[in-house]
Amino acid sequence: MLDSTRNGRPRAADTTAARARKGLLVVGSFVLVLYVIEIINTLMLRSLNGTFGLRPRSPDGLLDILTFPLLHANLAHLFSNTLPLIIFGFLVLLSGTRVFFTTLALSWLASGVVVWLIGGFNVTVGASGLVFGLFAFLLVRGFFNRNWWQILLSVVLFLTYGGILFGILPTVAGYVSWQAHLGGAVGGVLAALLLSVPRAGAPRTRQ
């Protein structure tokens, strides 16, 4: 294990402030990419949605799992995902980039797989599955880690944003992909389980 101190002080990269700055940079860069893609898609009359949107149960649609969260139906659709992505993504990134990218990847994959398996007949686009994955991760990780601060944060987030969880139910508006939301949430829970901290007394691997 590498020493993370110098002259008795933690390295800058290990401080909360440094992680916060890095978190804002990473999340901000990802959101900026979404807006650049949205501008290009608009100029191309949304032709990217037909090419790279997720088509359920289509063999070609398996590749669309890699691209569909990057596209949106319109600018308003992207606007609705922007703030939750920034807030939830930033909070996850405070735990480190490995945690963030693992959670993002599992949410992305699970969201796409569920849409491909049980999605409707329409092409699905949008980053809301990632929003649900990051949110679900934040809600449950404290219980897996037995961390009271993380549990307290999950309670605050649930009281503030818990209403979005209705988005995983099939009873929501027909134009909303509850399948993407459900899959993303499953991915977030899986990430929390995978990244959970071993309990006291459990064997630890050396770094």
Side-chain angles (χ1 to χ4, degrees), residues 22-192:
K22 188 174 184 179
L24 287 174
L25 178 62
V26 172
V27 175
S29 298
F30 180 66
V31 171
L32 179 61
V33 168
L34 294 182
Y35 274 90
V36 171
I37 293 174
E38 173 63 20
I39 292 172
I40 295 172
N41 198 17
T42 300
L43 294 174
M44 297 180 66
L45 304 179
R46 310 239 160 247
S47 61
L48 294 181
N49 288 2
T51 304
F52 299 105
L54 182 49
R55 293 155 289 174
R57 294 171 298 282
S58 165
D60 293 338
L62 288 171
L63 293 177
D64 300 330
I65 291 175
L66 302 176
T67 56
F68 84 101
L70 301 174
L71 302 166
H72 289 81
N74 48 52
L75 189 58
H77 185 199
L78 177 54
F79 276 153
S80 69
N81 285 328
T82 297
L83 187 58
L85 269 178
I86 292 174
I87 294 174
F88 301 152
F90 173 75
L91 290 174
V92 174
L93 264 162
L94 288 179
S95 296
T97 52
R98 183 181 71 90
V99 172
F100 173 75
F101 284 113
T102 300
T103 305
L104 191 73
L106 288 175
S107 302
W108 195 312
L109 178 62
S111 178
V113 168
V114 172
V115 170
W116 191 87
L117 289 173
I118 63 173
F121 295 101
N122 296 326
V123 172
T124 298
V125 294
S128 56
L130 307 183
V131 170
F132 275 75
L134 295 169
F135 185 52
F137 173 84
L138 291 168
L139 287 183
V140 304
R141 65 168 176 171
F143 297 96
F144 289 133
N145 294 334
R146 298 185 179 181
N147 184 308
W148 288 106
W149 288 110
Q150 292 177 354
I151 292 174
L152 178 61
L153 175 62
S154 72
V155 172
V156 173
L157 289 174
F158 180 78
L159 293 175
T160 306
Y161 296 102
I164 71 172
L165 293 176
F166 286 106
I168 67 176
L169 301 177
T171 54
V172 297
Y175 57 85
V176 175
S177 178
W178 62 269
Q179 298 94 336
H181 299 168
L182 176 62
V186 169
V189 173
L190 289 176

